Amino acid sequence: MALQKQPKTVLVADDSSVIRTLMQHLLKKLGYRAITAENGTSCIRTLEEEPVDVLLLDLNMPEKDGMEVLSWVREQGMTLPVIIITALEDVSQAVQCMKMGAYEYLTKPVENERLEIILRNALSESCLKEKVAVLEKELIAKDLFREIRGNSPALRRSIDQAMQVMETDMNVLLNGESGTGKELFAKAIHHGSRRKGGPFVTINCAAISSELAESLLFGHTKGAFTGATADHAGYFEQADGGTIFLDEIGDMSLDIQAKVLRALQEKKIRRVGEKKERAVDFRLVSATHRDFSQSITDKSFRADLYYRLEEYPLYIPPLRERQEDIIPLAEHFLQEFCKANGLDTPVIAPEALLSLQSHPWPGNVRELQNIIRRAVLTAGEGRIASFMPQGSQQKSTPQPSSLPISVPAETTPTSAPVKPERGTENQAILKDIELQAIVDTYRECGGNQSRTAELLGISRSTLIRKMKRHGLTRSVSIAPADRKSD
Ligand SMILES: Nc1ncnc2c1ncn2[C@@H]1O[C@H](COP(=O)(O)OP(=O)(O)OP(=O)(O)O)[C@@H](O)[C@H]1O
């Protein structure tokens, strides 16, 4: 069933009940929804309470007159067209109204046909303006978030939320695994805020010792402690007028947490060794990969600070939750790295691309970026045949006990050997990747060989040969309890 178009709402503000009734009648005939106000005060109240598309405004009204209403409309930043309808033609008044942003100035009596045309034009113009404003906003957002590649629904949701909050001054808590792009989000939020002209100061809380934290965050005066040879402004002061980004905030000591809470509540800080307080105007964006509920339960993180930090919680999904982004990101990193280093861009073999999609990416986008860079450096003949697992992958590499198919210990995938000859190294890596791809796909297909072969793009007999070569037996055990029985 087609949705019915909602009629546009026209507010008629006029102290004459005759005019209001006549106008209401005419507007209804023209297909508009007409509402009325008998003076300036009730006109403003109506504008505050409900959406109005056009305002037909009389100038001479009791309480607040039309000019006052018009200036209130503009002060509020309302963009609706205001059509002045007045009894007396007064050129200087008309000029003043137009200067104040009125759409049209008409004198009574107004011909019905004329009013009809003016209303239609005013509405289509304001509709056009709205569309331009939406497009402008989209363009700005595209530019702000252009560094954040990927178009998966999960990532788009995070970007949309960041766009909603960026123009406000709310504290944002970014939550996501390491390497998901939290810092990129923090930067985009800063650049999309009214503070964009101010500084963006980043601190990794995990990287500063608790002894130094106070002085680094809040500054110190000369002589405050041994080695304090000069006055020093801390990170909060440096962020004055801008945004402070506290990365890994879950690693902050309880002592510093109390001081950060105070700074957030009072918007004032005190340098170490100084009595007076200094006012600082900052917005706080913080990030963590932790589950705070645990830290709050075990009292390693203050609940009151947590609630302040997460005025707006923003979740950044791990790469494995946005499969659609893996290949576009890989291609982007490939182009970017080759361009930056003046290298020819190699092509990626289809099986290598496939292996990217079956990897769980514990190091997220950072891991993908590193793997692509390393693959470019080791690519032979302009072709990336396979990807080198990163050191961090070791953790995620399935061990025999966690595999759905039995793998002899000596053939368990490993990360690259420490420093073998290049040829041997590449062979070992290729072997690892192949084994990994087979194991992952086999598990995904619930032990169905034909389906596994199809997904891997090889024949069933090749799959069986490869499984034999890697020492993989066909005894499949999908349930964890069964695994050891192979
Ligand atoms: N969507 C993305 N598009 C392009 N590059 C990305 C994207 N996400 C992350 N990166 C890149 O991955 C790397 C890690 O990103 P970033 O430092 O923002 O992650 P993080 O979540 O803050 O990590 P950590 O928690 O370890 O500090 C950076 O080089 C960043 O440029």
Side-chain angles (χ1 to χ4, degrees):
M1 199 178 74
L3 281 176
Q4 262 204 322
K5 229 173 138 189
Q6 288 282 354
K8 298 284 183 191
T9 303
V10 181
L11 171 60
V12 182
D14 201 305
D15 58 343
S16 151
S17 64
V18 178
I19 301 265
R20 290 200 303 276
T21 311
L22 281 174
M23 281 292 190
Q24 216 169 2
H25 185 68
L26 171 69
L27 289 167
K28 220 172 147 196
K29 232 173 78 184
L30 294 176
Y32 296 107
R33 173 178 168 257
I35 51 175
T36 59
E38 72 278 13
N39 57 49
T41 311
S42 83
C43 174
I44 287 178
R45 200 179 321 115
T46 310
L47 287 170
E48 278 175 329
E49 284 168 3
E50 58 181 302
V52 172
D53 297 299
V54 185
L55 171 60
L56 296 185
L57 183 64
D58 183 19
L59 283 183
N60 295 315
M61 286 189 295
E63 298 190 25
K64 282 188 171 37
D65 66 18
M67 290 293 241
E68 284 173 280
V69 174
L70 181 58
S71 75
W72 178 87
V73 165
R74 295 308 169 218
E75 267 165 34
Q76 302 303 305
M78 290 181 169
T79 52
L80 84 166
V82 179
I83 299 167
I84 306 287
I85 303 186
T86 185
L88 296 171
E89 183 154 12
D90 178 337
V91 178
S92 68
Q93 196 179 47
V95 170
Q96 203 188 342
C97 287
M98 299 311 272
K99 274 189 181 163
M100 286 168 72
Y103 179 79
E104 189 60 271
Y105 183 95
L106 306 172
T107 37
K108 294 172 188 170
V110 183
E111 279 175 47
N112 291 356
E113 290 75 18
R114 184 144 186 245
L115 185 63
E116 184 181 353
I117 293 168
I118 289 173
L119 271 173
R120 204 184 311 130
N121 289 348
L123 276 165
S124 63
E125 200 176 293
S126 92
C127 176
L128 211 65
K129 273 188 190 158
E130 263 172 42
K131 279 188 188 153
V132 170
V134 169
L135 286 174
E136 255 174 17
K137 217 174 161 184
E138 273 174 17
L139 267 180
I140 291 169
K142 235 186 185 156
D143 197 42
L144 278 172
F145 291 89
R146 74 175 182 282
E147 274 191 67
I148 303 175
R149 302 290 174 130
N151 209 15
S152 58
L155 186 72
R156 285 247 44 102
R157 253 194 310 278
S158 304
I159 293 180
D160 288 348
Q161 287 173 349
M163 277 167 59
Q164 269 172 11
V165 76
M166 67 187 182
E167 284 170 17
T168 73
D169 233 6
M170 286 174 90
N171 299 328
V172 179
L173 177 62
L174 300 161
N175 196 296
E177 292 176 14
S178 179
T180 45
K182 298 189 291 295
E183 184 163 350
L184 289 184
F185 268 87
K187 265 190 216 152
I189 289 171
H190 168 71
H191 289 296
S193 73
R194 66 172 177 86
R195 299 172 173 273
K196 59 176 177 275
F200 176 73
V201 179
T202 303
I203 304 108
N204 186 333
C205 302
I208 53 176
S209 69
S210 49
E211 297 80 49
L212 283 182
E214 184 175 2
S215 134
L216 288 173
L217 290 173
F218 305 109
H220 60 251
T221 52
K222 186 177 169 184
F225 49 85
T226 324
T229 52
D231 287 350
H232 174 76
Y235 292 131
F236 274 92
E237 265 183 86
Q238 289 171 31
D240 194 24
T243 306
I244 186 164
F245 174 49
L246 296 179
D247 200 1
E248 303 295 358
I249 193 152
D251 289 28
M252 190 177 266
S253 70
L254 277 167
D255 173 40
I256 297 299
Q257 285 175 34
K259 294 188 162 101
V260 169
L261 176 65
R262 210 170 158 271
L264 263 177
Q265 282 167 337
E266 313 283 324
K267 288 284 155 87
K268 279 182 189 153
I269 56 100
R270 187 182 292 138
R271 290 184 181 184
V272 177
E274 198 170 60
K275 283 221 164 62
K276 74 166 184 195
E277 287 190 315
R278 294 165 187 259
V280 258
D281 169 32
F282 62 89
R283 189 225 196 136
L284 179 65
V285 177
S286 48
T288 185
H289 61 273
R290 286 175 196 255
D291 171 8
F292 267 114
S293 55
Q294 182 55 41
S295 317
I296 289 168
T297 312
D298 67 24
K299 299 212 172 352
S300 60
F301 206 89
R302 295 178 66 117
D304 46 4
L305 175 58
Y306 169 69
Y307 295 123
R308 287 238 158 211
L309 298 177
E310 73 133 26
E311 279 178 0
Y312 193 94
L314 182 47
Y315 173 68
I316 316 295
L319 195 49
R320 65 181 170 282
E321 279 177 22
R322 38 184 167 121
Q323 286 279 322
E324 307 92 313
D325 291 343
I326 296 174
I327 302 216
L329 273 169
E331 277 162 356
H332 162 68
F333 290 138
L334 183 76
Q335 301 288 344
E336 185 189 58
F337 184 68
C338 292
K339 197 169 164 208
N341 292 282
L343 300 167
D344 289 336
T345 312
V347 290
I348 308 178
E351 57 278 16
L353 269 185
L354 192 76
S355 75
L356 290 180
Q357 279 192 308
S358 58
H359 183 61
W361 300 109
N364 293 293
V365 185
R366 183 183 288 115
E367 184 187 356
L368 175 62
Q369 191 176 35
N370 290 343
I371 280 184
I372 298 291
R373 289 174 179 176
R374 285 166 46 176
V376 170
L377 297 180
T378 53
E381 294 164 2
R383 185 167 189 271
I384 297 174
S386 62
F387 289 100
M388 186 189 301
Q390 235 193 328
S392 64
Q393 265 180 292
Q394 247 170 330
K395 270 187 248 141
S396 72
T397 303
Q399 296 303 312
S401 62
S402 66
L403 293 173
I405 48 178
S406 65
V407 184
E410 64 271 22
T411 58
T412 301
T414 57
S415 62
V418 183
K419 257 189 191 164
E421 290 292 305
R422 170 60 56 84
T424 332
E425 183 187 20
N426 282 350
Q427 276 171 17
I429 291 160
L430 275 175
K431 208 174 143 200
D432 270 359
I433 289 170
E434 187 177 81
L435 172 57
Q436 179 85 63
I438 293 174
V439 166
D440 287 349
T441 318
Y442 199 75
R443 181 170 46 186
E444 209 178 298
C445 299
N448 181 323
Q449 284 190 337
S450 307
R451 178 92 189 103
T452 308
E454 194 187 318
L455 272 188
L456 288 170
I458 54 177
S459 70
R460 190 165 171 268
S461 56
T462 308
L463 173 71
I464 294 171
R465 198 164 26 81
K466 283 179 184 290
M467 283 178 72
K468 262 198 194 135
R469 211 177 58 217
H470 285 293
L472 302 172
T473 72
R474 245 210 101 179
S475 47
V476 183
S477 53
I478 305 290
D482 294 335
R483 279 176 197 150
K484 283 203 183 83
S485 64
D486 286 316

